[in-house]
Amino acid sequence: MRFGGKSNYTSIATLTVPADVEILHEFFRQSKNQQALLTGGRYDTGDLEMVDIELIDTQKWIDNARLMGGDEPDFAKDKIVQVTPDGIGILTAEICPLSIIGGKVTSTSTGENNSSALPEYQAVLIHDYPRAKGPRPLVWLFNKILYGGDPDDETKILKPRRREEKAMLRFWAERLPSTINATTTETFVFKAEAELW
Protein backbone atom coordinates (compact mmCIF):
# COMPACT_ATOMS: atom_id res chain seq x y z
CA MET A 1 0.00 0.00 0.00
CA ARG A 2 1.31 3.48 -0.87
CA PHE A 3 0.16 6.83 0.34
CA GLY A 4 0.80 10.19 -1.20
CA GLY A 5 -0.26 13.76 -1.09
CA LYS A 6 0.05 17.23 -2.49
CA SER A 7 0.21 20.52 -0.64
CA ASN A 8 -0.05 24.03 -2.11
CA TYR A 9 0.87 27.43 -0.73
CA THR A 10 0.39 31.00 -1.98
CA SER A 11 1.95 33.97 -0.21
CA ILE A 12 -0.47 36.50 1.23
CA ALA A 13 1.67 39.53 0.45
CA THR A 14 1.94 40.77 -3.11
CA LEU A 15 5.20 42.22 -4.33
CA THR A 16 6.02 44.54 -7.20
CA VAL A 17 7.66 42.87 -10.19
CA PRO A 18 11.13 44.44 -10.49
CA ALA A 19 12.02 46.25 -13.71
CA ASP A 20 14.79 43.69 -14.24
CA VAL A 21 13.32 40.23 -13.48
CA GLU A 22 16.87 38.84 -13.49
CA ILE A 23 16.97 40.01 -9.85
CA LEU A 24 14.27 37.44 -9.04
CA HIS A 25 16.10 34.74 -10.99
CA GLU A 26 19.27 35.48 -8.98
CA PHE A 27 17.26 35.23 -5.73
CA PHE A 28 16.07 31.75 -6.78
CA ARG A 29 19.63 30.67 -7.74
CA GLN A 30 21.19 31.56 -4.36
CA SER A 31 22.16 28.44 -2.43
CA LYS A 32 21.08 29.88 0.93
CA ASN A 33 17.53 30.45 -0.38
CA GLN A 34 17.40 26.93 -1.81
CA GLN A 35 18.65 25.61 1.55
CA ALA A 36 15.80 27.41 3.33
CA LEU A 37 13.31 25.67 1.02
CA LEU A 38 14.90 22.23 1.34
CA THR A 39 15.34 22.28 5.12
CA GLY A 40 11.90 23.57 6.00
CA GLY A 41 12.60 27.30 6.06
CA ARG A 42 15.61 27.19 8.39
CA TYR A 43 19.05 28.57 7.56
CA ASP A 44 20.46 27.69 10.95
CA THR A 45 19.65 23.97 11.08
CA GLY A 46 20.07 20.99 8.88
CA ASP A 47 22.85 20.37 6.45
CA LEU A 48 23.08 20.87 2.72
CA GLU A 49 26.11 19.90 0.68
CA MET A 50 26.83 19.64 -3.02
CA VAL A 51 27.10 16.16 -4.55
CA ASP A 52 29.20 15.30 -7.59
CA ILE A 53 26.86 14.47 -10.47
CA GLU A 54 29.14 11.54 -11.43
CA LEU A 55 28.14 9.75 -8.18
CA ILE A 56 24.38 9.87 -8.86
CA ASP A 57 22.03 7.78 -10.97
CA THR A 58 21.14 10.60 -13.38
CA GLN A 59 18.59 8.45 -15.20
CA LYS A 60 16.60 8.20 -11.96
CA TRP A 61 16.63 12.02 -11.73
CA ILE A 62 15.31 12.27 -15.30
CA ASP A 63 12.65 9.59 -14.70
CA ASN A 64 11.47 11.11 -11.40
CA ALA A 65 11.32 14.62 -12.89
CA ARG A 66 9.18 13.34 -15.80
CA LEU A 67 6.91 11.33 -13.51
CA MET A 68 6.33 14.28 -11.17
CA GLY A 69 5.70 16.75 -14.02
CA GLY A 70 9.00 18.60 -13.74
CA ASP A 71 11.48 19.69 -16.38
CA GLU A 72 14.35 17.41 -17.36
CA PRO A 73 17.64 18.32 -15.71
CA ASP A 74 20.39 20.13 -17.56
CA PHE A 75 23.50 18.45 -16.17
CA ALA A 76 25.72 21.35 -17.24
CA LYS A 77 24.01 23.84 -14.91
CA ASP A 78 21.59 22.08 -12.51
CA LYS A 79 22.79 20.98 -9.08
CA ILE A 80 22.51 17.89 -6.91
CA VAL A 81 22.55 18.32 -3.16
CA GLN A 82 22.49 16.06 -0.14
CA VAL A 83 20.02 17.41 2.42
CA THR A 84 19.96 16.32 6.05
CA PRO A 85 17.32 18.35 7.91
CA ASP A 86 16.79 18.17 11.66
CA GLY A 87 15.74 14.73 12.84
CA ILE A 88 12.28 13.81 14.05
CA GLY A 89 12.11 12.64 17.67
CA ILE A 90 10.15 9.45 18.33
CA LEU A 91 10.27 8.24 21.93
CA THR A 92 13.99 8.33 22.75
CA ALA A 93 15.14 7.80 19.16
CA GLU A 94 15.66 10.33 16.39
CA ILE A 95 14.83 9.61 12.74
CA CYS A 96 17.20 11.49 10.44
CA PRO A 97 16.18 11.69 6.79
CA LEU A 98 19.02 12.00 4.31
CA SER A 99 17.84 12.94 0.85
CA ILE A 100 19.62 13.34 -2.47
CA ILE A 101 17.81 16.05 -4.42
CA GLY A 102 18.25 17.43 -7.91
CA GLY A 103 17.62 21.17 -8.11
CA LYS A 104 16.82 23.28 -11.14
CA VAL A 105 16.03 26.96 -11.64
CA THR A 106 13.85 27.47 -14.68
CA SER A 107 11.21 29.98 -15.69
CA THR A 108 7.43 29.94 -15.72
CA SER A 109 7.35 31.18 -19.28
CA THR A 110 4.14 30.24 -21.04
CA GLY A 111 4.39 32.02 -24.32
CA GLU A 112 5.39 35.34 -22.77
CA ASN A 113 8.58 37.18 -23.66
CA ASN A 114 11.37 35.05 -22.17
CA SER A 115 13.18 38.12 -20.79
CA SER A 116 10.12 38.91 -18.64
CA ALA A 117 9.44 35.31 -17.52
CA LEU A 118 9.44 34.82 -13.76
CA PRO A 119 11.60 32.11 -12.10
CA GLU A 120 10.70 28.68 -10.77
CA TYR A 121 12.77 26.34 -8.59
CA GLN A 122 12.17 22.59 -8.93
CA ALA A 123 13.61 20.11 -6.45
CA VAL A 124 13.22 16.43 -7.38
CA LEU A 125 13.89 13.61 -4.93
CA ILE A 126 16.46 11.19 -6.35
CA HIS A 127 17.19 9.02 -3.29
CA ASP A 128 15.99 8.91 0.31
CA TYR A 129 17.90 7.22 3.15
CA PRO A 130 16.20 7.55 6.54
CA ARG A 131 18.42 6.61 9.50
CA ALA A 132 17.72 6.16 13.20
CA LYS A 133 19.86 7.36 16.11
CA GLY A 134 19.35 6.51 19.74
CA PRO A 135 19.12 3.42 21.93
CA ARG A 136 20.34 0.31 20.11
CA PRO A 137 17.07 -1.67 20.50
CA LEU A 138 15.05 1.13 18.85
CA VAL A 139 17.62 1.58 16.07
CA TRP A 140 17.60 -2.19 15.48
CA LEU A 141 13.77 -2.23 15.35
CA PHE A 142 13.70 0.71 12.93
CA ASN A 143 16.25 -0.97 10.62
CA LYS A 144 14.45 -4.33 10.83
CA ILE A 145 11.09 -2.80 9.88
CA LEU A 146 12.38 -0.50 7.16
CA TYR A 147 15.28 -2.44 5.68
CA GLY A 148 14.97 -6.00 7.00
CA GLY A 149 18.36 -5.62 8.71
CA ASP A 150 21.36 -3.33 8.91
CA PRO A 151 21.09 -0.93 5.90
CA ASP A 152 24.87 -0.41 5.88
CA ASP A 153 25.70 -4.13 5.65
CA GLU A 154 24.55 -5.59 2.33
CA THR A 155 25.16 -9.15 3.56
CA LYS A 156 22.72 -8.76 6.48
CA ILE A 157 19.77 -7.23 4.64
CA LEU A 158 17.04 -9.84 4.46
CA LYS A 159 14.87 -8.12 1.90
CA PRO A 160 15.72 -5.77 -0.95
CA ARG A 161 15.15 -2.07 -0.38
CA ARG A 162 11.68 -1.23 -1.68
CA ARG A 163 11.45 2.41 -0.69
CA GLU A 164 10.91 4.21 -3.96
CA GLU A 165 9.25 7.46 -2.98
CA LYS A 166 8.74 10.05 -5.67
CA ALA A 167 8.65 13.68 -4.62
CA MET A 168 8.97 17.13 -6.07
CA LEU A 169 8.93 20.62 -4.60
CA ARG A 170 8.11 23.52 -6.91
CA PHE A 171 8.53 27.13 -5.80
CA TRP A 172 7.79 29.95 -8.22
CA ALA A 173 6.86 33.59 -8.65
CA GLU A 174 3.55 34.19 -10.42
CA ARG A 175 2.25 37.45 -11.86
CA LEU A 176 -1.17 38.58 -10.72
CA PRO A 177 -3.61 39.67 -13.40
CA SER A 178 -4.20 43.42 -13.30
CA THR A 179 -7.91 42.73 -12.65
CA ILE A 180 -6.93 41.19 -9.30
CA ASN A 181 -4.45 43.79 -8.10
CA ALA A 182 -6.49 46.72 -9.52
CA THR A 183 -3.39 48.77 -10.35
CA THR A 184 -1.21 49.43 -13.36
CA THR A 185 1.87 48.24 -11.43
CA GLU A 186 2.76 44.62 -12.14
CA THR A 187 2.66 42.51 -8.98
CA PHE A 188 3.39 38.89 -8.13
CA VAL A 189 3.04 36.33 -5.37
CA PHE A 190 5.19 33.37 -4.38
CA LYS A 191 3.62 29.95 -4.83
CA ALA A 192 4.79 26.51 -3.77
CA GLU A 193 3.63 22.96 -4.36
CA ALA A 194 5.01 19.86 -2.69
CA GLU A 195 4.01 16.41 -3.89
CA LEU A 196 5.02 13.02 -2.50
CA TRP A 197 4.09 9.53 -3.75
Side-chain angles (χ1 to χ4, degrees):
M1 181 181 301
R2 291 189 83 137
F3 295 96
K6 185 186 271 192
S7 178
N8 295 295
Y9 170 80
T10 301
S11 65
I12 296 169
T14 60
L15 301 166
T16 302
V17 175
D20 181 6
V21 295
E22 183 58 29
I23 294 169
L24 276 175
H25 285 268
E26 184 55 37
F27 174 81
F28 275 61
R29 281 191 290 267
Q30 289 180 5
S31 294
K32 69 177 186 172
N33 296 331
Q34 293 174 7
Q35 180 176 0
L37 285 170
L38 298 176
T39 59
R42 307 276 310 268
Y43 292 106
D44 57 339
T45 63
D47 186 30
L48 184 133
E49 56 187 78
M50 298 299 294
V51 176
D52 184 356
I53 199 162
E54 301 295 323
L55 303 174
I56 300 300
D57 178 0
T58 54
Q59 187 58 49
K60 187 168 183 184
W61 184 5
I62 293 168
D63 293 344
N64 288 357
R66 284 180 184 157
L67 182 71
M68 299 305 292
D71 296 342
E72 279 195 31
D74 177 348
F75 301 122
K77 65 179 186 175
D78 297 338
K79 300 176 186 174
I80 297 177
V81 293
Q82 176 179 299
V83 180
T84 310
D86 283 347
I88 301 163
I90 299 176
L91 299 174
T92 57
E94 182 180 26
I95 309 303
C96 302
L98 183 149
S99 302
I100 306 296
I101 296 173
K104 168 184 214 58
V105 176
T106 184
S107 67
T108 56
S109 176
T110 53
E112 60 185 289
N113 180 349
N114 215 20
S115 65
S116 67
L118 297 182
E120 176 177 330
Y121 177 69
Q122 297 178 3
V124 175
L125 180 66
I126 301 171
H127 295 291
D128 178 38
Y129 304 103
R131 297 286 189 249
K133 295 182 198 173
R136 292 184 91 184
L138 291 177
V139 171
W140 176 86
L141 181 61
F142 175 85
N143 289 336
K144 194 71 169 166
I145 291 170
L146 210 61
Y147 299 107
D150 183 352
D152 297 323
D153 185 349
E154 294 291 328
T155 64
K156 291 186 179 178
I157 293 180
L158 301 176
K159 59 183 177 185
R161 187 171 190 270
R162 295 190 50 195
R163 294 180 44 87
E164 289 297 325
E165 291 84 8
K166 309 288 187 237
M168 185 166 95
L169 167 69
R170 291 179 59 229
F171 178 74
W172 69 98
E174 183 174 293
R175 278 187 174 81
L176 291 177
S178 57
T179 57
I180 290 177
N181 63 27
T183 71
T184 56
T185 305
E186 277 194 304
T187 59
F188 73 96
V189 291
F190 288 115
K191 290 194 167 194
E193 177 180 273
E195 187 170 9
L196 172 69
W197 297 107

